[in-house]
Amino acid sequence: MTAVDVRSTSGAAARPFHDANGIETLGNGRYAAELGPLWTVGTKAHGGLLLVLLAEAGLAGIDAEVPGSAPDPLSVAADFLRAPDLGPVELDTEVLKVGRTASVVSVRMTQGGRAMLAATVTAGRLPDDEPRWADLPELSAEPPEDATDPGVAGLAGSCELKFDTPPFAFARGEQGPPVLRGWVRPRGEPVDVLFALLAGDILPPVVFNLGGRVGWAPTVQLTALLRARPAPGWLRVESRSRAVANPWFDEDVTVIDAAGRLVCQARQLALSPLVR
């Protein structure tokens, strides 16, 4: 195997995101990755990290087709067929189109010969210009002093993560609207477009605020749009649901960088953990 970007997931990680999102080329559009313990929900790999690996494999597949193209991810649309366990996975790519503005590649993640995720990655060039128009949620550029700090529990051990306290109702044993907000940035490394992609799935499921069981809410389909390269600093994240009808709920996530620019939009369909 020829290394594309091999990163160890053993031991304490000084750069947890960098150390978790490497892939290796196996040739003929195939890549390998290791799902380690740094980004998990319970015993399963975090969905945001899985999207990052799909994007990396897709971009590598396009770059292999057109050497030196080094495209940016524009969108990742993934169907979560099964939840992979920690350990090795393979990613098979097929470039469907190479274009001057947008290229498209299909990516399938397998583990032990079984399909885990199937995705389409669209790649091109992210804009550098300021947006002509934007309508974004209002969140301060940095977490306020009264932001809820989860410490190093769960995903907060792999990144710096703070929650907006007022809407964080379920943590107080209360109920509220299915809306959550927070701030996130990598530990020990600068924020980049792949971390912005991961941030689109960083907050807890918004249905926790509605009461009932708090637990794993499996993603069924997730589509993320990348809109710009993030400026250094905290990413601001808002997640909300438009409709909850057991067993299904949706989440719309907006990710804004420290400069106030939209960097990622994510929408997912998931299974609710609420008692039915």
Side-chain angles (χ1 to χ4, degrees):
M1 294 187 296
T2 303
V4 170
D5 193 3
V6 185
R7 300 165 185 181
S8 170
T9 57
S10 63
R15 296 186 293 171
F17 181 60
H18 176 282
D19 292 346
N21 70 356
I23 61 172
E24 297 179 29
T25 182
L26 303 175
N28 298 319
R30 297 171 55 243
Y31 302 88
E34 182 77 16
L35 303 179
L38 299 177
W39 298 90
T40 59
V41 177
T43 61
K44 300 294 185 178
H46 177 243
L49 179 68
L50 297 178
L51 242 64
V52 168
L53 294 174
L54 292 168
E56 284 198 304
L59 296 176
I62 294 172
D63 194 56
E65 189 88 2
V66 185
S69 58
D72 298 318
L74 300 179
S75 73
V76 183
D79 291 294
F80 287 65
L81 310 176
R82 299 174 180 85
D85 296 317
L86 301 186
V89 294
E90 292 191 7
L91 300 111
D92 298 305
T93 67
E94 180 185 359
V95 177
L96 305 178
K97 173 194 173 183
V98 174
R100 288 184 294 179
T101 303
S103 298
V104 181
V105 56
S106 67
V107 186
R108 188 176 69 158
M109 179 182 289
T110 61
Q111 187 175 63
R114 303 180 74 200
M116 296 288 136
L117 286 87
T120 300
V121 178
T122 303
R125 282 283 175 261
L126 288 167
D128 294 318
D129 298 337
E130 290 299 315
R132 295 176 58 192
W133 180 87
D135 181 15
L136 303 175
E138 293 186 8
L139 273 169
S140 60
E142 296 188 354
E145 291 185 2
D146 64 350
T148 298
D149 186 345
V152 294
L155 294 177
S158 299
C159 59
E160 294 187 68
L161 182 61
K162 301 287 182 69
F163 299 115
D164 191 20
T165 298
F168 200 40
F170 75 90
R172 301 188 296 271
E174 302 172 1
Q175 294 188 25
V179 178
L180 292 173
R181 301 183 185 93
W183 296 261
V184 66
R185 64 184 178 186
R187 291 186 183 275
E189 58 187 298
V191 65
D192 63 12
V193 69
L194 290 177
F195 190 83
L197 173 61
L198 180 143
D201 192 35
I202 198 64
L203 296 179
V206 293
V207 290
F208 286 3
N209 269 355
L210 297 180
R213 187 168 68 90
V214 173
W216 185 38
T219 299
V220 175
Q221 205 283 339
L222 196 160
T223 296
L225 309 180
L226 287 309
R227 306 303 304 277
R229 298 178 190 85
W234 290 92
L235 296 177
R236 308 168 235 183
V237 187
E238 180 188 85
S239 180
R240 60 174 60 241
S241 182
R242 304 295 177 180
V244 179
N246 283 341
W248 301 101
F249 74 99
D250 63 83
E251 280 190 349
D252 283 325
V253 181
T254 303
V255 183
I256 306 166
D257 72 0
R261 190 176 188 185
L262 177 66
V263 293
C264 180
Q265 297 165 275
R267 168 171 281 186
Q268 68 172 283
L269 182 67
L271 291 169
S272 173
L274 299 178
V275 176
R276 300 196 265 280

